[in-house]
Amino acid sequence: PKIIAVDRDGTEKTIDAENGLSLMLNLRDKGDLDIAAICGGMCSCATCHVYVDEAWRDKTGERSIDEFELVEFSAHYQENSRLSCQIEMTDELDGIKVTLAPEE
Ligand code: FES
């Protein structure tokens, strides 16, 4: 499956993603995007913050309470804010578009 990712400088990249890995790992390791992921995907650092394109919000499901509590404290919080380590890549998300949130 593919991920369309908009980097912080506005550049759009298409990434050949791997199913079963989180969006964060795909963006960082397959797409070489600048995601710190300090906590390693444990839903506690919020450095993997992305905005999910409106068309894809339903398919990515709801944020967990832990995820919401973390992300809502971001200075760059938006309705479509997600922690990319909390979304697992599947074929259903083929073509998903996300934009990296600004660094805190
Ligand atoms: Fe730390 Fe996602 S990598 S919250």
Side-chain angles (χ1 to χ4, degrees):
K2 306 268 190 225
I3 300 171
I4 316 291
V6 182
D7 212 342
R8 295 195 183 91
D9 63 2
T11 320
E12 197 172 282
K13 290 186 175 172
T14 302
I15 300 164
D16 281 315
E18 188 174 325
N19 284 340
L21 295 181
S22 67
L23 219 55
M24 176 278 276
L25 287 173
N26 274 300
L27 295 170
R28 190 189 68 180
D29 298 344
K30 310 261 172 212
D32 208 22
L33 287 156
D34 181 23
I35 291 188
I38 293 163
C39 76
M42 301 304 288
C43 195
S44 61
C45 72
T47 58
C48 64
H49 186 179
V50 298
Y51 306 121
V52 173
D53 197 74
E54 283 303 320
W56 292 92
R57 280 184 66 190
D58 280 355
K59 283 199 171 149
T60 54
E62 295 288 319
R63 293 176 288 224
S64 69
I65 291 175
D66 284 351
E67 181 184 346
F68 179 66
E69 284 180 347
L70 196 58
V71 86
E72 75 169 335
F73 284 111
S74 166
H76 307 289
Y77 175 78
Q78 294 183 7
E79 275 298 304
N80 60 345
S81 286
R82 292 296 309 258
L83 297 180
S84 57
C85 69
Q86 299 301 301
I87 300 173
E88 186 186 323
M89 193 64 202
T90 60
D91 280 335
E92 220 188 319
L93 297 183
D94 182 23
I96 187 172
K97 185 171 178 190
V98 299
T99 302
L100 268 62
E103 283 179 291
E104 296 294 321

